[in-house]
């Protein structure tokens, strides 16, 4: 019989961010549903089987080591979605924008949706969406933004769900009328 799932593409999510923002911890927290005390520099690529994802598509999650050179990002341009991470305590446009611009320049031809992620929200007193939102509003390439914590597992599964959605049901710049002309 025909499996509907085979008609859908896989989702590949790449986590990018400055060193130590928590990329590897986030992946490990998702997988083990608990915060790992120690993590390797880079997590092995993981695949979440279709039947346990909300959108029913196989989802691959790829860690990007902050110690890699920027050029190795080129190798990852077959990604379906890029999650750009920052650490909430240090989050500011000044820290984030150079990284974001690098990612945008590298991916400008590939129309890969971006998600902006503020990790370590457990370390800040109140919501830092006022830091993230203005950055998101400035860059139409950013599909959505989310505040999370690998430590207390806040918004971890949601983050990967938003990433799936950004790939499978893109909105905004990917389908903007200007682009179709
Ligand atoms: P590199 O691979 O070296 O670029 O770092 P990374 O972005 O993979 O960060 P990593 O997961 O290694 O975490 C860096 C440090 O932040 C570790 O000490 C983690 O325990 C800590 N950390 C990660 N996520 C959180 C979080 O949500 N809350 C808090 N409080 N600490 C976190
Ligand atoms: Mg890491």
């Amino acid at each position: 019989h025909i499996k509907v799932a085979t008609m859908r593409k896989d989702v590949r999510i790449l986590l990018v961010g400055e060193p130590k923002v928590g990329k590897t911890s986030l992946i490990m927290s998702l997988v083990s549903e608990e915060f790992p005390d120690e993590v390797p520099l880079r997590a092995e690529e993981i695949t979440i089987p279709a039947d346990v994802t909300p959108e029913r598509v196989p989802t691959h999650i790829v860690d990007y080591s902050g110690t890699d050179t920027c050029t190795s990002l080129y190798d990852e341009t077959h990604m379906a979605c890029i999650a750009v991470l920052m650490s909430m305590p240090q989050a500011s446009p000044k820290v984030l924008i150079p990284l974001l611009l690098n990612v945008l320049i590298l991916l400008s031809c590939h129309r890969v949706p971006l998600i902006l992620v503020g990790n370590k929200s457990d370390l800040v007193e109140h919501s830092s969406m006022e830091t993230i939102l203005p950055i998101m509003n400035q860059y139409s390439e950013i599909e959505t933004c989310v505040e999370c914590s690998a430590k207390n597992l806040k918004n971890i599964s949601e983050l990967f769900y938003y990433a799936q959605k950004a790939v499978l049901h893109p909105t905004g710049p990917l389908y903007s009328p200007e682009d179709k002309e």
Side-chain angles (χ1 to χ4, degrees), residues 19-25 35 39 41 66 119-120 122 150-151:
K20 306 299 165 204
V21 292
K23 302 173 293 292
T24 309
S25 301
F35 181 62
V39 291
L41 259 188
N119 187 37
K120 306 195 189 182
D122 59 287
K151 187 159 194 176

Side-chain angles (χ1 to χ4, degrees), residues 120-154:
K120 306 195 189 182
S121 67
D122 59 287
L123 294 179
V124 293
E125 294 274 300
H126 42 79
S127 166
S128 306
M129 289 307 272
E130 61 263 35
T131 313
I132 311 179
L133 270 172
I135 302 171
M136 168 164 152
N137 291 336
Q138 204 181 331
Y139 297 94
S140 59
E141 293 86 350
I142 302 175
E143 194 86 5
T144 191
C145 60
V146 57
E147 195 185 30
C148 71
S149 166
K151 187 159 194 176
N152 60 23
L153 306 183
K154 181 189 170 190

Side-chain angles (χ1 to χ4, degrees), residues 20 22-29 32 34-43 63 150:
K20 306 299 165 204
K23 302 173 293 292
T24 309
S25 301
L26 207 61
I27 295 173
M28 306 299 250
S29 285
S32 61
E34 61 181 9
F35 181 62
D37 287 332
E38 285 190 13
V39 291
L41 259 188
R42 190 172 193 173
D63 196 2

